[in-house]
Amino acid sequence: MRQVRTPSYQYENLNEIDELLKCPICSNPLEEPVMHINCGYTFCNKCIKGKTVCPFCDDSNLTVYKAARNISLFLDNLKVVCPQCKTTVKRGDYQKHLNERNKPKVNVLL
């Protein structure tokens, strides 16, 4: 039932992340989490997209909704490592960190 998906982030302590924050399909921390309304399982949107039957409760009416906000808040607090500079940042701040790192430097001559 497991599918292989490379996580979009390098986690500081991947093995220490609570299983409740990991997708039961790919075993990585949830990305764009969605919840199956009937059984309550939470999946990565990419992992469950295109499926018509829930892989855990076999419900043939697989309807998913955006997961509760508190799950996203927990995920945003996970520590990730920037592959460019090796700085550790919160996952929720990662894109901002990358944007700041990749800004062109402007030298002002007076």
Side-chain angles (χ1 to χ4, degrees):
M1 188 172 304
R2 298 265 189 243
Q3 84 182 32
V4 176
R5 181 180 63 78
T6 304
S8 300
Y9 304 94
Q10 287 182 350
Y11 292 91
E12 185 177 59
N13 297 309
L14 182 61
N15 294 333
E16 295 176 18
I17 296 174
D18 193 307
E19 291 299 314
L20 294 173
L21 296 176
K22 292 182 179 180
C23 176
I25 296 174
C26 70
S27 300
N28 291 312
L30 293 159
E31 293 186 24
E32 298 178 43
V34 293
M35 184 183 79
H36 180 220
I37 196 67
N38 291 342
C39 69
Y41 270 96
T42 305
F43 309 97
C44 297
N45 188 40
K46 289 180 184 176
C47 291
I48 202 71
K49 194 172 193 170
K51 296 190 183 326
T52 57
V53 176
C54 177
F56 292 92
C57 72
D58 293 325
D59 183 357
S60 60
N61 181 23
L62 180 60
T63 304
V64 296
Y65 296 94
K66 187 175 179 179
R69 184 172 179 267
N70 61 339
I71 293 173
S72 293
L73 292 174
F74 281 117
L75 292 165
D76 283 348
N77 279 309
L78 295 177
K79 301 289 186 190
V80 296
V81 178
C82 175
Q84 296 174 9
C85 68
K86 306 302 180 204
T87 300
T88 300
V89 296
K90 289 182 180 180
R91 184 172 125 170
D93 297 332
Y94 182 68
Q95 191 59 53
K96 179 181 173 185
H97 169 78
L98 288 181
N99 291 343
E100 288 174 1
R101 276 199 47 78
N102 295 326
K103 272 187 194 174
K105 305 289 188 242
V106 176
N107 293 326
V108 177
L109 301 174
L110 297 177

